[in-house]
Amino acid sequence: MISNVYTYYLSQYAAKPGSRHDSHKKSELRNVYNRMVSINRTSPLYKLNLSEDMQKLAIDIKESAIELKDISSELNEIETGDIELKQKAVSSDEDTVEVKYVGKGKSPVDEFQIDVEQLASNQINTGHFLQPRSKELEEGTYSFDIGISGVTYELQFNVEKQDTTGDIQKKISQLINKSDMGVTASVLTDSLGNTALSIQSDSTGVRNMKPLIFTVSDEQSSFKKGAVDYLGLDRTVQHPSNAIFAVDGDVRYSANNSFTINKAFELTLKKPSEEPVTIKVEEDAQAIADDIGNFMESYNRVIDFAKNSAEKFEGGGRLLNEFERITRSYHSMLEENGFQVNSDGKIDLNEAGREKLMDKEEAARILSGLDGFRSSVMRKADSMMSNPMEYLDKKVVAYKNPARSFTSPYSSSTYAGIMFDGYY
């Protein structure tokens, strides 16, 4: 029977996204196995306190260690050059063309130019400007059709005896907006105080050689007709058009102002360009800063977790002391690289350090300076992952004879058993 602890694991950790560091080579799995055997061989025989709180503590310790190990591994790969730095795309004129690099790995090009001739536009129907207090439509039930994307929607509304033209325009505007058909309606007012109903398509561009994105008609109305003609709902004042632009002289068209080129560049056209806009690709220095920041945040979360655990369990205090010893050993190095070690054991980046991380070379230097600290934290995370039961309250039954040690196969493997009631 699955225990409450297994349910706790599923609710707290099972849904988190997987990491590429969760996959291992045969040699890495062999190292994990050898480390487990070594722990079991040297560990004394003891009796664990396997209360539900203790089991949850073991799960929290292991999962905290996995997160810390993953982020430490990421920093290590960046420093050693085992993975390429993230790239970003930069536009020479963000007011004309916005760009975002969405490709995977190295960009296929270093730079290109884009010249925007016109933006993609939507369809706009603007009705007749009428005196809003007039009463021209007879009372009764009216309906009209809006055809869009191959689907026809029938909209029905009532005209009461007291309803004015302005009331009807507002009523139809609200009806269209609530229908969520891909068009938006509003009531416009001119300089004379007359009002007109405007309907705009949410989408832009010409598709399937059709000149209009939507149509408005009451020819097939099953109720009273005349509202479309009186209000002018079928008057198209702006036809949809495609964006026209050139990439390195090659003319292209798009039904949208946002699109992707080469599956790597997400472009958003903002306005026609006066001169070609240059799109460049460069290494994202911010990526190093973000990874260092993520590492410190993960480290601080472990410190918080250890402090909270120390209030209830002896093992939490022991875990906190071990991390504090690591921090003390690298206190000078951390301060030299712009980090501040607080009295609560957590580490923050000071203003000078933040400014340095904005520079690619300085960020790389800080990353290199953190190597010793990161390696120590990584080793501690490895230890926590291999034997989270080390920090649970327990009573030693017997110490092993150092001259004739033997492997106790379940000393550290008890973690696997806490998921199931019958395994411990």
Side-chain angles (χ1 to χ4, degrees):
M1 183 178 66
I2 298 177
S3 69
N4 291 333
V5 178
Y6 186 67
T7 303
Y8 172 77
Y9 170 78
L10 289 177
S11 63
Q12 297 295 319
Y13 299 107
K16 71 177 184 179
S19 165
R20 60 190 177 84
H21 298 291
D22 293 336
S23 300
H24 301 284
K25 301 176 183 177
K26 289 183 179 179
S27 58
E28 293 173 327
L29 293 174
R30 190 178 298 112
N31 289 336
V32 172
Y33 168 78
N34 291 335
R35 188 161 58 245
M36 296 291 290
V37 171
S38 176
I39 292 171
N40 289 333
R41 180 178 292 115
T42 57
S43 175
L45 298 176
Y46 51 75
K47 182 178 180 181
L48 281 170
N49 174 1
L50 285 176
S51 65
E52 187 170 310
D53 286 341
M54 281 292 175
Q55 294 177 56
K56 290 180 179 179
L57 175 64
I59 291 174
D60 291 338
I61 289 173
K62 190 176 184 74
E63 293 300 321
S64 298
I66 290 174
E67 178 191 3
L68 193 55
K69 173 73 179 297
D70 285 349
I71 298 176
S72 299
S73 299
E74 194 82 22
L75 285 179
N76 183 53
E77 289 179 346
I78 292 175
E79 184 183 355
T80 57
D82 290 342
I83 61 172
E84 296 177 345
L85 282 176
K86 297 175 185 176
Q87 294 186 308
K88 67 176 181 179
V90 179
S91 170
S92 62
D93 186 355
E94 288 283 345
D95 293 332
T96 301
V97 181
E98 287 184 356
V99 63
K100 180 180 179 182
Y101 186 73
V102 294
K104 296 181 179 179
K106 188 173 177 59
S107 168
V109 296
D110 291 331
E111 70 174 65
F112 61 89
Q113 289 189 325
I114 180 169
D115 197 354
V116 184
E117 180 177 332
Q118 74 173 36
L119 299 181
S121 62
N122 62 347
Q123 176 184 342
I124 301 176
N125 283 19
T126 300
H128 306 300
F129 279 91
L130 305 169
Q131 214 326 294
R133 294 176 182 168
S134 62
K135 295 182 180 180
E136 297 293 334
L137 284 181
E138 298 177 356
E139 62 179 304
T141 301
Y142 292 77
S143 72
F144 63 92
D145 297 330
I146 293 183
I148 183 170
S149 301
V151 180
T152 300
Y153 300 87
E154 183 182 57
L155 301 182
Q156 175 185 327
F157 65 96
N158 294 319
V159 174
E160 308 294 341
K161 184 177 181 180
Q162 72 275 11
D163 284 344
T164 64
T165 297
D167 294 331
I168 296 170
Q169 290 170 333
K170 291 178 182 178
K171 189 179 295 186
I172 294 176
S173 176
Q174 293 172 356
L175 182 62
I176 291 174
N177 292 334
K178 287 180 180 179
S179 299
D180 192 22
M181 297 177 293
V183 294
T184 303
S186 60
V187 178
L188 307 180
T189 304
D190 66 8
S191 58
L192 299 176
N194 297 320
T195 57
L197 190 62
S198 177
I199 306 173
Q200 301 188 34
S201 63
D202 296 338
S203 60
T204 59
V206 178
R207 293 173 172 83
N208 302 321
M209 303 300 293
K210 294 183 178 180
L212 297 176
I213 296 175
F214 66 90
T215 59
V216 184
S217 171
D218 61 2
E219 293 180 0
Q220 304 298 323
S221 172
S222 53
F223 296 92
K224 297 188 71 170
K225 303 177 183 180
V228 171
D229 184 58
Y230 170 64
L231 296 173
L233 302 183
D234 56 352
R235 292 182 65 249
T236 302
V237 298
Q238 175 176 292
H239 283 73
S241 62
N242 290 337
I244 304 175
F245 58 96
V247 178
D248 287 337
D250 179 22
V251 178
R252 304 185 186 185
Y253 304 87
S254 172
N256 301 304
N257 290 315
S258 295
F259 48 85
T260 303
I261 292 181
N262 295 333
K263 298 181 179 180
F265 302 93
E266 186 178 276
L267 299 176
T268 300
L269 308 183
K270 307 296 287 295
K271 65 180 182 180
S273 57
E274 298 179 359
E275 57 184 29
V277 177
T278 300
I279 305 298
K280 290 185 177 181
V281 179
E282 57 187 40
E283 290 182 342
D284 189 0
Q286 184 64 40
I288 299 179
D290 289 343
D291 285 330
I292 291 176
N294 290 337
F295 172 68
M296 291 305 175
E297 288 177 6
S298 179
Y299 180 86
N300 289 340
R301 281 195 292 272
V302 172
I303 295 298
D304 283 334
F305 162 69
K307 278 193 171 185
N308 293 334
S309 300
E311 297 175 0
K312 300 179 181 178
F313 313 108
E314 293 181 5
R318 192 161 64 253
L319 181 63
L320 179 61
N321 289 335
E322 291 174 358
F323 275 100
E324 287 180 342
R325 280 198 295 271
I326 294 175
T327 305
R328 283 196 298 271
S329 299
Y330 293 94
H331 189 279
S332 298
M333 179 279 299
L334 289 168
E335 289 192 338
E336 289 173 4
N337 287 280
F339 295 93
Q340 175 181 318
V341 180
N342 300 322
S343 57
D344 59 2
K346 294 197 286 189
I347 302 173
D348 294 325
L349 189 62
N350 58 35
E351 282 299 323
R354 287 191 180 91
E355 292 179 4
K356 289 180 180 179
L357 287 181
M358 294 301 102
D359 180 83
K360 178 184 172 183
E361 293 184 359
E362 282 293 325
R365 185 190 65 77
I366 292 175
L367 180 61
S368 177
L370 283 174
D371 182 59
F373 176 72
R374 180 198 54 75
S375 296
S376 294
V377 171
M378 201 168 178
R379 286 193 295 272
K380 176 50 59 181
D382 267 332
S383 175
M384 293 165 61
M385 290 168 57
S386 300
N387 190 16
M389 315 307 285
E390 173 66 21
Y391 301 95
L392 270 61
D393 294 348
K394 53 186 176 289
K395 294 180 179 179
V396 174
V397 177
Y399 289 99
K400 294 181 181 178
N401 185 344
R404 296 182 60 187
S405 63
F406 61 93
T407 301
S408 303
Y410 298 107
S411 291
S412 61
S413 305
T414 313
Y415 177 83
I418 69 174
M419 296 296 184
F420 301 94
D421 286 345
Y423 278 37
Y424 52 83

